[in-house]
Amino acid sequence: DVVVAVIDSGVDYTHPDLAANIWTNPGEVAGDGIDNDLNGFIDDVHGWDFRNDDADPMDDHRHGTHVAGIIGAVGNNELGVTGVAQQVSIMALKFLDNHNTGYTSDAVRAINYATMMRSEHDINVRVLNNSYTGQRSTALEESLAASTQADILFVSASGNGNVLGRGINLDNDPVYPASLTSANMIVVGASGQYDEMARFSNFGVETVDLIAPGIGIYGLAPTAMGSYQSLSGTSMAAPLVSATAALLVSHLPDITTAEIKDAVLGSVDEIDALSSKLSTGGRLNTAAALNLD
């Protein structure tokens, strides 16, 4: 009953390695054409498609399904891969299209939906995964402020650098939402198999908190597109942190967002070469976060 909202290109909620962990809105009756829970969205059974303004957040790209699988692919089912949080509820909030492009205004609507479902409908949304970059706006800042008030963690990918594929310093050249300052944010860069920062990963000692694996991550693809795939990017690193936060909530249901941040950031494996690139100078250590006193 820990819900992670994946704000992305949608999620293949029928995927056999994910379907059991897809959030189902307890206040809705599927397909009856009625807004049963009176939240302003008709038949929002698994989330909402803010790109097309309908109740079907199916992934017609690949990105969102891969992100969702890193967080919560079903474990111990003799199939495919396992998410970091093997038992979790994935709320699918789509704002990116089949080219993986979208509008920041639609991302804001997705954030506001998740916040509203927690604040007004008692849905246990504790984490928002944001593996995208967009534009700065007052509405985006306001949506983060509201999610902070609702005690929801906002996990953001740091972004994948410039047109040459080289990471940029966000302290000097901001990228959004990663460069916003909000008390409920964790910003995540990408690492490789030797704990080095990925060449493409944005960084910033004042902006980016930590790194997590983001190169060659094997995970889910929509069933119609081959079911499994390997992808690289800070988009793959952020959901590892989101899933770690979900595990913390599952063990400590009353944990606050501030306490989640303290646990995640206070338990990193520090790496000397990263001390000038990240606020923690370290790489995510999920086991250490779960065992931190």
Side-chain angles (χ1 to χ4, degrees):
D1 55 3
V2 178
V3 181
V4 178
V6 175
I7 301 171
D8 214 290
S9 65
V11 176
D12 182 359
Y13 47 81
T14 68
H15 196 294
D17 210 4
L18 191 59
N21 284 347
I22 295 295
W23 174 72
T24 297
N25 185 349
E28 280 296 317
V29 177
D32 68 351
I34 299 172
D35 180 11
N36 304 103
D37 60 359
L38 302 178
N39 69 349
F41 297 85
I42 295 172
D43 290 337
D44 53 324
V45 176
H46 300 305
W48 193 260
D49 179 353
F50 292 92
R51 176 67 173 181
N52 299 297
D53 281 320
D54 61 47
D56 185 11
M58 177 59 73
D59 184 6
D60 53 8
H61 183 261
R62 290 175 179 264
H63 194 270
T65 298
H66 194 269
V67 167
I70 293 170
I71 296 169
V74 178
N76 297 319
N77 61 349
E78 299 183 351
L79 182 67
V81 299
T82 298
V84 172
Q86 297 182 27
Q87 293 178 310
V88 70
S89 289
I90 300 293
M91 176 186 283
L93 301 180
K94 176 176 179 174
F95 85 100
L96 299 170
D97 62 17
N98 60 340
H99 300 293
N100 214 35
T101 60
Y103 299 103
T104 300
S105 58
D106 287 337
V108 168
R109 294 168 63 206
I111 296 165
N112 290 341
Y113 174 93
T115 301
M116 176 263 296
M117 292 303 286
R118 174 165 171 77
S119 300
E120 301 177 21
H121 295 272
D122 297 322
I123 303 301
N124 194 30
V125 183
R126 295 302 313 273
V127 186
L128 309 179
N129 189 89
N130 301 270
S131 289
Y132 58 87
T133 57
Q135 302 298 314
R136 183 174 189 174
S137 71
T138 299
L140 179 60
E141 294 178 20
E142 290 174 347
S143 71
L144 260 73
S147 67
T148 301
Q149 289 296 313
D151 203 25
I152 301 174
L153 182 71
F154 187 100
V155 179
S156 175
S158 68
N160 295 337
N162 57 26
V163 294
L164 300 177
R166 305 289 298 194
I168 61 176
N169 187 340
L170 299 189
D171 296 347
N172 302 323
D173 298 298
V175 167
Y176 299 98
S179 294
L180 294 176
T181 55
S182 181
N184 67 332
M185 286 185 70
I186 296 179
V187 181
V188 190
S191 64
Q193 62 180 319
Y194 302 108
D195 283 342
E196 80 284 11
M197 177 166 281
R199 185 181 77 161
F200 56 76
S201 177
N202 292 343
F203 57 93
V205 71
E206 297 177 1
T207 311
V208 182
D209 294 305
L210 76 168
I211 54 173
I215 296 179
I217 306 301
Y218 187 69
L220 306 186
T223 306
M225 301 180 190
S227 296
Y228 296 91
Q229 61 185 334
S230 183
L231 293 177
S232 298
T234 59
S235 288
M236 286 64 252
L240 292 168
V241 173
S242 294
T244 300
L247 287 176
L248 283 162
V249 176
S250 73
H251 284 277
L252 299 166
D254 295 326
I255 193 172
T256 66
T257 294
E259 290 169 337
I260 294 170
K261 282 188 65 173
D262 286 345
V264 171
L265 303 185
S267 60
V268 298
D269 287 338
E270 295 183 13
I271 299 164
D272 289 343
L274 301 178
S275 61
S276 63
K277 293 183 179 261
L278 304 166
S279 69
T280 65
R283 188 251 306 129
L284 173 71
N285 186 327
T286 297
L290 290 168
N291 288 289
L292 193 69
D293 290 332

